[in-house]
């Protein structure tokens, strides 16, 4: 299993209108070396020398899958590993930062006469580190979905907020938003402005 942080390269196509979906991404050099080593284990030393690599000359991997196939379709999830509903997958586009979980598998079927076997990289999970899945019906909106809040803070206060946000596993802006909403809610309760109108 390999986990990489990368961006989707031109040629990627995730569209609800298309049956064939495609992810194109660069494979870091360190992972390429690991894949080569694992390829020798899967195919054997001699076969691996002749086997084609699962990326092109620019280090780009192309992974295609059918939108209707559960077997080849990767799990697409938000930064907290919550699966993204189909309507939210339009956020997956060229230039999008992603964290991919991959595995190397031998290609199915017998190799053609005079050729050796080969392997391919399979994408198991696509995680969008800057996206949160929308709240379901009846669920409160997630404070983690707030991505940017422009609020100048003194350096010492900002450092404390960063420390607290990291301890809670939130972004700084989400933690601030939650703290502000909690304070407003407490103040409304204290002065009695949160009661329903008669």
């Amino acid at each position: 299993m390999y986990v990489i942080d990368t961006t989707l390269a031109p040629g990627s196509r995730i569209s609800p209108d298309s049956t064939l979906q495609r992810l194109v991404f660069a494979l870091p050099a360190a992972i390429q070396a690991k894949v080569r080593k694992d390829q020798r284990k899967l195919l054997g030393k001699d076969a691996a020398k002749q086997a084609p690599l699962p990326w092109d000359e620019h280090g780009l991997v192309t992974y295609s899958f059918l939108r209707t196939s559960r077997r080849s379709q990767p799990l697409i999830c938000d930064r907290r590993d919550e699966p993204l509903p189909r309507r939210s997958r339009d956020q997956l586009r060229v230039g999008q930062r992603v964290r991919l979980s991959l595995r190397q598998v031998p290609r199915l079927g017998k190799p053609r006469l005079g050729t050796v076997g080969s392997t391919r990289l399979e994408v198991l999970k696509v995680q969008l580190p800057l996206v949160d899945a929308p709240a379901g019906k009846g669920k409160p909106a997630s404070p983690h979905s707030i991505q940017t809040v422009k609020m100048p803070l003194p350096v010492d206060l900002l450092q404390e907020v960063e420390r607290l946000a990291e301890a809670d596993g939130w972004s700084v802006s989400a933690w601030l938003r939650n703290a502000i909403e909690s304070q407003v809610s407490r103040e409304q309760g204290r002065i009695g402005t949160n009661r329903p109108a008669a």
Side-chain angles (χ1 to χ4, degrees):
M1 175 95 81
Y2 320 102
V3 178
I4 62 166
D5 289 307
T6 186
T7 55
L8 293 181
S12 298
R13 183 177 66 208
I14 302 292
S15 165
D17 307 324
S18 175
T19 304
L20 185 66
Q21 313 283 297
R22 188 184 310 128
L23 298 172
V24 181
F25 54 91
L27 202 64
I31 300 295
Q32 288 180 19
K34 201 171 177 188
V35 169
R36 276 195 206 98
K37 186 178 175 183
D38 293 341
Q39 194 180 51
R40 286 193 291 273
K41 287 179 189 172
L42 284 169
L43 301 175
K45 265 188 181 177
D46 295 334
K49 283 178 187 173
Q50 301 171 45
L53 296 170
W55 55 84
D56 67 11
E57 64 274 8
H58 305 293
L60 291 175
V61 175
T62 301
Y63 179 72
S64 299
F65 60 95
L66 296 174
R67 185 171 48 87
T68 53
S69 167
R70 289 192 175 194
R71 205 184 88 202
S72 63
Q73 188 177 134
L75 173 67
I76 301 174
C77 59
D78 72 355
R79 70 189 187 96
R80 293 192 170 271
D81 275 343
E82 288 291 324
L84 280 178
R86 288 195 187 281
R87 66 183 182 278
S88 299
R89 292 182 184 183
D90 58 352
Q91 297 182 65
L92 198 58
R93 56 190 176 275
V94 171
Q96 174 78 43
R97 276 182 51 205
V98 291
R99 174 170 286 157
L100 302 174
S101 298
L102 316 166
R103 72 175 172 183
Q104 184 174 196
V105 293
R107 285 196 183 273
L108 297 175
K110 286 187 177 181
R112 281 180 289 178
L113 197 62
T115 63
V116 294
S118 62
T119 59
R120 66 188 181 89
L121 288 174
E122 196 173 80
V123 179
L124 302 175
K125 184 171 76 171
V126 179
Q127 187 177 18
L128 305 177
L130 298 178
V131 174
D132 281 305
K137 279 189 176 180
K139 290 184 181 176
S142 167
H144 307 294
S145 62
I146 310 302
Q147 294 301 327
T148 54
V149 174
K150 292 186 178 174
M151 185 183 292
L153 291 172
V155 173
D156 58 338
L157 182 56
L158 183 59
Q159 287 172 340
E160 182 63 12
V161 167
E162 285 174 347
R163 187 185 66 73
L164 291 168
E166 191 175 309
D168 287 339
W170 290 19
S171 68
V172 169
S173 52
W175 191 92
L176 277 171
R177 173 69 182 254
N178 187 60
I180 292 165
E181 285 177 351
S182 298
Q183 183 65 31
V184 167
S185 181
R186 278 196 300 272
E187 287 302 308
Q188 284 176 334
R190 189 179 65 79
I191 60 176
T193 57
N194 62 346
R195 295 187 193 123

